Amino acid sequence: MSTFDQRTDKTLQELAEGGQYKHLQMLGSPMDAVVRMRMDDGSFRDTLCFCSNNYLGLANHPEVVEAGIKGLRDYGAGTASVRFICGTFTPHEQLEATISKYMGTEASYTFVSCWNATEALFPTFCEAGDVIVSDELNHACIIDAMRLTPVIKKGVKKKVYRHSDMDSLREKLVECEQDPEINGQAWVVTDGVFSMEGDIAKLQMIRALCDEFDAKLVVDDSHGHGVMGETGRGTHEFCGLVNDDGSAQVDYFTGTLGKALGGGAGGFIAGPKRGSELVIQRGRPTLFSNALPVTVACSANKAIEILMAEPERVQKLRDNTAYAREQITAAGFEVIDSPTAICPIIVGDTAKAISMSKRLMELGVFVIGFGYPVVPEGTARLRIQMSAAHEREHIDELVGALKKL
Ligand SMILES: *Cc1c(COP(=O)(O)O)cnc(C)c1O
């Protein structure tokens, strides 16, 4: 056997023995409060879903589905080209206008994923002498983009501050100021909502520090868009960083269209127009890779339009989350407190989290157990995620199942 084959078989075996092997769950129906899941014997069974990012229940909304179908009919499968050659349809332009309106930014530019958007943003925007200052618990795509940036642009530095620790962030910014090699732009980047804890960035204070040190603020609000703030604009709205005219006090956003905003796929950078122009001119993932499929662009556009027209969906998500937290706590579980729709129950051991999740599945409730390496060793958890698609009886059923564990 080759070196790769040998070491891979060993890794897979170790994962299986440690109870950490992840099995993909098969769905035989659209994403919704109830999904048809394939059981071990091959049969399908209706299961309550509490682990999707379908926060607003838009993934299977009839108008979202119809918009995608119309997009496919009107434009076919795609452009068979990168965007700067002949790869941009008018629905891409429409989607980017809708995102800008929704985000309160001058412009936006879309990608096949938020992962891609993030890996476009930093290597394209940064130059030698710049520094990226990042929260230690930021999403993996930010971590990888930071690793990638100095490879593409030599002389870009990076620093990591302790999670949501403003003294630590200040310390790093002071270090940047004192380092003669850092003479360009400073970029501070944070998740809006941290996906594993469900806690939120202290955006007011981060904004103030960015202003003090002349740094640009980048917020990846993939779990906050459609969820946080009165009208679901995101964590910046929740934190009061929206001006009277609706514009956002954040320099650049990155976000996904694969969660609350339609649930298909896709990501974006939203901010001043010069940023979008620069990624069109210079971004490697935009110059050398195709656009979001037009079907997805059309359905995401419709999803954001529905969100803007029906803020009551955001309110229902909030009500569901408050009710679920209250009931889960009353059932004797400790839920990490947060204003988001993510309700993590810490159980400690990875194998335990996986076996609890398996037992819940037998009871007809789908809740994922996360362990190492997604979260630090010893902090494995059940992560319950609420949706506006859930009704009270769904939540009661979840709590009933938790009580049986
Ligand atoms: C989910 C998520 C992503 C990935 O989004 P994709 O569009 O699926 O690539 C990126 N950043 C954060 C913070 C996320 O939560």
Side-chain angles (χ1 to χ4, degrees), residues 74-108:
D74 292 351
Y75 295 92
T79 59
S81 167
V82 298
R83 286 187 65 173
F84 91 92
I85 300 178
C86 55
T88 306
F89 285 130
T90 51
H92 291 115
E93 188 182 50
Q94 173 61 53
L95 171 61
E96 284 156 3
T98 302
I99 291 171
S100 308
K101 185 167 165 222
Y102 162 65
M103 292 306 310
T105 56
E106 195 182 9
S108 81

Side-chain angles (χ1 to χ4, degrees), residues 113-115 139 141 191 193 195 220 222-223 256-259 266-267:
S113 68
C114 181
W115 191 289
H139 190 266
C141 69
D191 283 17
V193 173
S195 59
D220 178 344
S222 291
H223 279 282
T256 185
L257 303 170
K259 291 184 172 122

Side-chain angles (χ1 to χ4, degrees), residues 88-155:
T88 306
F89 285 130
T90 51
H92 291 115
E93 188 182 50
Q94 173 61 53
L95 171 61
E96 284 156 3
T98 302
I99 291 171
S100 308
K101 185 167 165 222
Y102 162 65
M103 292 306 310
T105 56
E106 195 182 9
S108 81
Y109 198 74
T110 54
F111 297 80
V112 289
S113 68
C114 181
W115 191 289
N116 242 251
T118 309
E119 285 202 347
L121 191 151
F122 289 102
T124 309
F125 285 8
C126 292
E127 296 295 343
D130 284 11
V131 61
I132 307 169
V133 186
S134 170
D135 187 292
E136 67 181 340
L137 290 192
N138 274 345
H139 190 266
C141 69
I142 297 173
I143 295 172
D144 279 17
M146 284 176 73
R147 290 172 174 154
L148 178 66
T149 304
V151 176
I152 294 181
K153 298 272 183 71
K154 295 210 174 13

Side-chain angles (χ1 to χ4, degrees), residues 14-22 350-352 354-355:
E14 281 167 7
L15 287 171
E17 283 167 6
Q20 297 177 345
Y21 189 94
K22 288 179 267 301
T350 299
K352 186 176 170 193
I354 291 176
S355 81

Side-chain angles (χ1 to χ4, degrees), residues 293-364:
V294 67
T295 47
V296 182
C298 291
S299 53
N301 183 66
K302 179 55 75 178
I304 300 171
E305 282 177 358
I306 294 172
L307 157 59
M308 289 193 288
E310 301 173 11
E312 56 271 22
R313 288 181 172 272
V314 184
Q315 186 56 46
K316 183 169 178 204
L317 172 63
R318 254 196 300 274
D319 293 346
N320 278 350
T321 306
Y323 180 71
R325 286 181 169 278
E326 191 186 287
Q327 296 299 310
I328 296 167
T329 309
F333 289 90
E334 215 179 301
V335 189
I336 300 180
D337 193 31
S338 104
T340 71
I342 298 171
C343 311
I345 303 176
I346 302 286
V347 301
D349 182 53
T350 299
K352 186 176 170 193
I354 291 176
S355 81
M356 284 170 90
S357 153
K358 211 168 159 195
R359 176 73 187 124
L360 283 172
M361 183 73 89
E362 287 164 11
L363 295 168

